[in-house]
């Protein structure tokens, strides 16, 4: 079974630029998550989708971050404009369970450096 | 505010010994708790799930306990091996009928030396 795919793996941008990350979850997984992991910290949930609907985006900085999941499969996370404090690893995860608890399968992440 | 605490200091342990990690939480009513392993440069990997009405779970050399009175989970790696060296994260999910709302701790690094 193929795992969660993410691209790009690395991205370096200047502050105030925009960036987009892509995620392809495991086939058949209805739930998709985006996390931000700052060095030395645990992953912080940004947004959770159930199929193509948003379930939880309470911690998403909506003034600069946006995410969509078209057709309930692939997802993109965008940052516009980026700030220095956005430097982190952005992890995508998916789960098969349609209700809790959610055993999550994570992708390798995208390491973003904002200069 | 809700808080999950894991020991920030790395746990250095000799091969063959048992590693014990703690996960404490406050202002939280978790319905379940999970443990993940994370290697450098990679995403977390799910290890074990324990529900609020369970006291203990085992999987091979891993054992998890969950004490909702103490608001604590213990994670044990028995007969540790150098390959067990990684960061271990606990994560709590609140509400059996919620949509997850997972929260991760910061993780504890384990270093197993031969």
């Amino acid at each position: 079974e193929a795992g969660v795919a993410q691209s790009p793996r690395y991205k370096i941008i200047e502050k105030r630029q925009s960036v987009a990350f892509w995620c392809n979850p495991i086939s058949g997984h209805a739930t998709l998550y985006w996390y931000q992991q700052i060095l030395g910290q645990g992953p912080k949930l940004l947004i959770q989708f159930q199929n193509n609907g948003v379930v939880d985006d309470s911690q998403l900085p909506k003034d600069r971050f946006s995410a969509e999941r078209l057709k309930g499969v692939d997802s993109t996370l965008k940052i516009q404009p980026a700030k220095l404090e956005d430097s982190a690893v952005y992890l995508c995860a998916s789960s098969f369970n349609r209700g809790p608890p959610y055993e999550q399968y994570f992708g390798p992440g995208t390491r973003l450096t904002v200069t | 505010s809700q808080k999950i605490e894991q020991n920030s200091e790395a746990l250095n342990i000799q091969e063959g010994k048992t590693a014990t990690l703690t996960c404490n939480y406050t202002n939280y009513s978790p319905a379940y708790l999970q443990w993940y392993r994370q290697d450098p440069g990679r995403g977390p990997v799910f290890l074990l799930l324990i529900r609020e009405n369970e006291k203990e779970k085992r999987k091979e050399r891993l054992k998890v306990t969950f004490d909702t009175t103490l608001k604590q989970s213990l994670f044990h790696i028995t007969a540790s091996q150098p390959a067990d060296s990684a960061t271990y994260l606990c994560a709590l999910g609140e509400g059996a009928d919620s949509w997850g709302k997972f929260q991760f701790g910061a993780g504890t690094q384990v270093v197993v030396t031969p």
Side-chain angles (χ1 to χ4, degrees):
Chain A
E1 163 180 271
V4 175
Q6 289 188 248
S7 68
R9 289 296 313 276
Y10 306 92
K11 190 74 176 179
I12 301 174
I13 61 172
E14 295 181 352
K15 60 183 178 183
R16 291 187 289 273
Q17 287 187 324
S18 62
V19 65
F21 312 125
W22 173 82
C23 173
N24 181 241
I26 293 173
S27 177
H29 282 197
T31 310
L32 184 147
Y33 316 76
W34 281 103
Y35 288 90
Q36 179 192 59
Q37 187 172 25
I38 294 172
L39 187 64
Q41 298 182 18
K44 171 189 167 185
L45 179 66
L46 294 176
I47 189 167
Q48 178 179 346
F49 292 93
Q50 181 76 10
N51 295 310
N52 59 352
V54 175
V55 170
D56 181 10
D57 63 356
S58 57
Q59 298 192 90
L60 186 73
K62 299 180 184 66
D63 58 335
R64 298 185 300 106
F65 286 65
S66 64
E68 62 180 6
R69 189 182 184 195
L70 299 176
K71 301 180 181 178
V73 182
D74 293 7
S75 177
T76 56
L77 175 70
K78 297 179 182 178
I79 307 175
Q80 181 180 11
K83 293 185 176 181
L84 295 176
E85 59 259 36
D86 298 331
S87 294
V89 175
Y90 290 84
L91 294 162
C92 178
S94 68
S95 63
F96 175 76
N97 307 40
R98 296 182 184 279
Y102 304 95
E103 176 182 333
Q104 298 179 46
Y105 295 81
F106 283 82
T110 297
R111 181 175 298 277
L112 173 67
T113 302
V114 182
T115 63
Chain B
S1 61
Q2 296 175 330
K3 187 182 283 189
I4 300 172
E5 292 182 338
Q6 294 187 256
N7 196 335
S8 58
E9 286 187 19
L11 177 63
N12 291 283
I13 192 164
Q14 196 172 14
E15 183 176 8
K17 303 292 186 182
T18 296
T20 298
L21 309 179
T22 60
C23 176
N24 297 300
Y25 58 92
T26 55
N27 297 323
Y28 220 113
S29 299
Y32 54 96
L33 186 149
Q34 297 185 355
W35 283 89
Y36 287 77
R37 168 185 172 139
Q38 187 171 26
D39 292 284
R42 310 190 79 163
V45 174
F46 172 80
L47 295 175
L48 278 169
L49 156 74
I50 187 165
R51 299 174 190 267
E52 61 177 334
N53 60 350
E54 297 174 318
K55 296 294 185 185
E56 182 179 298
K57 270 286 185 69
R58 291 175 184 262
K59 178 182 176 182
E60 297 173 353
R61 296 183 295 108
L62 307 179
K63 185 178 86 170
V64 172
T65 63
F66 194 11
D67 190 326
T68 55
T69 301
L70 292 178
K71 297 185 184 298
Q72 181 182 79
S73 173
L74 298 179
F75 178 82
H76 306 271
I77 307 172
T78 59
S80 59
Q81 304 168 0
D84 295 326
S85 298
T87 295
Y88 292 85
L89 302 159
C90 70
L92 277 66
E94 192 173 58
D97 58 352
S98 76
W99 285 101
K101 295 195 176 182
F102 244 31
Q103 184 173 356
F104 278 88
T108 298
Q109 184 182 13
V110 173
V111 179
V112 182
T113 53

